[in-house]
Every structure is written in structure tokens, then in C-alpha cells.
Amino acid sequence: MQPVLAAEPQRDPLIVFAAASLTDVLQQVGPLYTKQSKVPVKFSFAASSALARQIESGARADAFLSADQDWMNYLQERNLIKDETRADLLGNRLALIAPRDSEVTLKLARGTPLHQALGANGRLSTGDPDSVPVGKYAKTALENLQLWQAVERRLVRADNVRVALMYVARGEAPLGIVYSTDAAVEPQVRIVDLFPESSHAPITYPIAATTSAASTTGDFLEFLRSDAAHDIFTKAGFRIVGSVPAPSPALRRTHDRE
């Protein structure tokens, strides 16, 4: 009679809250990590602002990847992340996009006739500048290029960058401002021009474990700086700008849900 082998205990999934612009790359990274670690990963993608507020309201999350520093600061100031795990991981570029068949050509600089390129009734699609990181970067860039005043009232204030991308892809907006990596995954749009990097703060993606993180979260953060993960990020057009610190002993000891 063959011996009965004990079933491997099922592990709770890691819950990772991540900026919408990271959807495609993390959906590739997650399965690779699970294959190596046997720990499942579930992602929640949305605007960084929405995710940070969900964590503040008590939503379960083990790690947070923000599209800007402000919303990570927001959680850090409220003692909702483990400070020692915070680090910048990726960088990106800000892009002006149009539908694929659009004939608009513009070179982004001071005085560029962006409002004229929108036409009589066209709208400019981007994230809500009051909260969504891509919209905040866009507003700063447009202000520094002295273009903001002419287009402010013509904004479509999307809930996140992927919604802003969708409006342009569907032809509902003749122009939009998104990250270059978002434009790269949508065949129905094209990049008109990249914003000068001097026109806005560097676009960086910080990551951190939350204060309620499971013990396996540290391993996931380490995996994000592996060659396998970096290969996925760079192929998608992201820049590698930093590394994730190794998890502290405290992170491995506390909140063990295995």
C-alpha cells in the first residue's frame, strides 16, 4: 500500500495594491514569483490615491506600489507602512498621445499650440490633477511649459491613467497625457511627443510593505529586484531606478499568516 503523502498547506495570497500603470508588468511578475515561492499573489490596481485611501480605511494589503512619492508619504505619515522597506523601484516618462490614425504633430515646449490641436470641442484626457499621480505630473509639466491655462477647462479628469488612456484609444478625446509605458500597451494610440523631463518631477514608483504585511511580503519585495523581474520591467519601457531593501527580521517574524 502506497503511503499517503500529506498535502502541502495552502498559503494565503499576498495582497499587493499597485498603481494602474503597473497592471501589465505585475501580472507577468506575479506568476513568476508564485512559481518560485509557491505563494500566490493577488493584485488590486487603481489610482495610487484611491489605493492609499483604501489602506488608510483598513483594507487588507501587504505591499503598496505607488506611481508617485506623495501617496507613499501619505501612508508613511500615518504609520501605515514599514519605513525600512520603502524604496524607489521604477521610473517612467510622461507622454502626449493621440488616436492611432490621428495626424496631429506637436513638439512639446513653451508656447506649443496644444489647445489648437484639440480642435474646437476636443478634450485633453489625463488623470485628475487633484489626486491621480499622472494628472499631477501633467499639470506641473503644462504649467512649466506655460500651457496649463489654455487647456485647464478642457480636461477630462480620469479616475486613473488607464481610464485616461481608454478615452483616447476610443477616439473620445483627441489627445491625452499618460505614461509612455501605458501608450506602449495600447495599439489604438500613438505617442505624439514625450514631455521634457525638466518640466516635471521625476516619475518614480516607490514600494513598501504595509504595517500589517504577511511574513512572505519581504520575499516578494526581494523578487522585484531580481533579474527576472527587471527584465519584464525594462522590456515594458520602465527604468530601473533603485532596489528594494532586504526585509528586516521584524518583517519576517510578525504577522505570519502561513
Side-chain angles (χ1 to χ4, degrees):
M1 184 176 179
Q2 295 292 329
V4 177
L5 299 178
E8 184 176 337
Q10 187 172 3
R11 300 188 180 191
D12 290 337
L14 289 179
I15 306 298
V16 177
F17 280 21
S21 52
L22 297 171
T23 300
D24 300 89
V25 287
L26 289 183
Q27 285 179 338
Q28 296 177 62
V29 170
L32 287 181
Y33 172 73
T34 299
K35 182 177 180 180
Q36 171 184 295
S37 67
K38 309 305 181 185
V39 177
V41 183
K42 290 185 178 180
F43 296 102
S44 179
F45 299 106
S48 302
S49 52
L51 296 172
R53 286 168 176 153
Q54 288 174 28
I55 293 172
E56 181 185 23
S57 297
R60 178 193 156 191
D62 297 298
F64 178 48
L65 278 86
S66 175
D68 71 357
Q69 300 295 332
D70 289 348
W71 287 107
M72 189 64 80
N73 293 341
Y74 183 88
L75 293 184
Q76 187 166 12
E77 290 163 2
R78 288 159 178 76
N79 298 315
L80 292 172
I81 64 167
K82 292 183 177 291
D83 295 352
E84 70 276 13
T85 68
R86 177 176 176 172
D88 295 339
L89 183 66
L90 302 172
N92 213 331
R93 292 293 304 273
L94 195 65
L96 179 70
I97 61 168
R100 182 181 60 183
D101 58 358
S102 169
E103 297 181 357
V104 170
T105 58
L106 289 171
K107 183 65 179 176
L108 290 166
R110 288 189 178 184
T112 294
L114 181 60
H115 63 292
Q116 294 179 17
L118 291 171
N121 301 305
R123 307 289 294 277
L124 177 64
S125 176
T126 194
D128 187 344
D130 292 336
S131 58
V132 179
V134 72
K136 294 162 67 178
Y137 290 123
K139 180 181 179 180
T140 299
L142 292 170
E143 287 177 333
N144 287 332
L145 296 177
Q146 299 178 359
L147 305 175
W148 173 251
Q149 192 171 15
V151 301
E152 178 182 4
R153 294 184 179 180
R154 302 182 70 177
L155 289 187
V156 177
R157 296 170 175 253
D159 291 339
N160 63 63
V161 69
R162 288 302 172 92
V163 175
L165 179 71
M166 177 190 69
Y167 288 139
V168 180
R170 291 180 177 178
E172 296 172 16
L175 293 171
I177 301 174
V178 299
Y179 303 120
S180 61
T181 54
D182 294 295
V185 299
E186 176 48 71
Q188 298 304 316
V189 307
R190 64 178 179 84
I191 293 178
V192 176
D193 197 16
L194 295 174
F195 280 83
E197 292 188 90
S198 59
S199 67
H200 56 84
I203 298 172
T204 53
Y205 291 74
I207 183 169
T210 67
T211 52
S212 59
S215 63
T216 49
T217 305
D219 293 331
F220 178 73
L221 299 187
E222 286 186 57
F223 187 77
L224 292 177
R225 61 178 178 174
S226 69
D227 290 342
H230 283 186
D231 186 51
I232 291 171
F233 295 142
T234 55
K235 283 183 178 178
F238 289 93
R239 296 175 178 173
I240 306 300
V241 299
S243 60
V244 178
S248 68
L251 181 59
R252 290 185 176 279
R253 289 196 301 267
T254 59
H255 305 289
D256 192 340
R257 292 202 300 264
E258 294 181 34

